[in-house]
Amino acid sequence: MTTDTEWEPADAGERLKAALRELLATVLDRAFGVALDAVERLAQTLDDVAARGGYKIGALFGGVRAAAAGRNPVWGAIVGAFSALNPGAKAALVVALVLAVLLLPVTVLLVLLLLIAVVIAAAVRSRSHA
């Protein structure tokens, strides 16, 4: 026949194991929480530096983020630099790109006319010297 005193050490051992598991889970939860908070603070600091550092810092961080994610770092740098620009500079850049695309045919035509004029001038000059 068993008495209550025979079960107490085994019961205490189980309670100790359960308490240690709970303590370990709490410590891990707190440690991961602290580490996650530190990483979030670091990311926020880097974002602040990128936002205030201008397009060069934005390009650097954009390229590093893209490389770390396995994407093209050149495109990441371009996106990072563009996102670091102020709204006025973004608008001016977009307008310049649109104008460049719209005026491209005119530019090509002017370059061709210039080349034709250079060829004609060279031909006239060579005939006058001959």
Side-chain angles (χ1 to χ4, degrees):
M1 188 181 232
T2 61
T3 63
D4 290 338
T5 56
E6 289 178 332
W7 290 103
E8 284 182 14
D11 197 25
E14 291 299 320
R15 283 187 287 160
L16 179 62
K17 285 181 186 178
L20 287 175
R21 282 187 192 120
E22 186 177 335
L23 178 64
L24 180 62
T26 303
V27 167
L28 286 176
D29 186 44
R30 299 287 172 128
F32 284 129
V34 168
L36 184 60
D37 288 343
V39 168
E40 286 178 0
R41 281 194 306 272
L42 177 64
Q44 182 63 37
T45 301
L46 291 177
D47 284 342
D48 290 344
V49 167
R52 285 185 269 122
Y55 67 92
K56 292 178 184 177
I57 298 295
L60 176 71
F61 283 133
V64 169
R65 267 189 245 144
R71 296 188 312 260
N72 186 351
V74 174
W75 184 249
I78 291 170
V79 170
F82 185 76
S83 65
L85 293 174
N86 62 22
K90 285 181 186 179
L93 184 62
V94 168
V95 167
L97 288 173
V98 168
L99 283 176
V101 168
L102 291 177
L103 296 177
L104 185 64
V106 174
T107 306
V108 170
L109 181 64
L110 289 175
V111 168
L112 288 175
L113 289 174
L114 178 68
L115 287 175
I116 291 170
V118 167
V119 168
I120 291 173
V124 169
R125 204 177 273 209
S126 69
R127 284 190 182 226
S128 65
H129 288 296

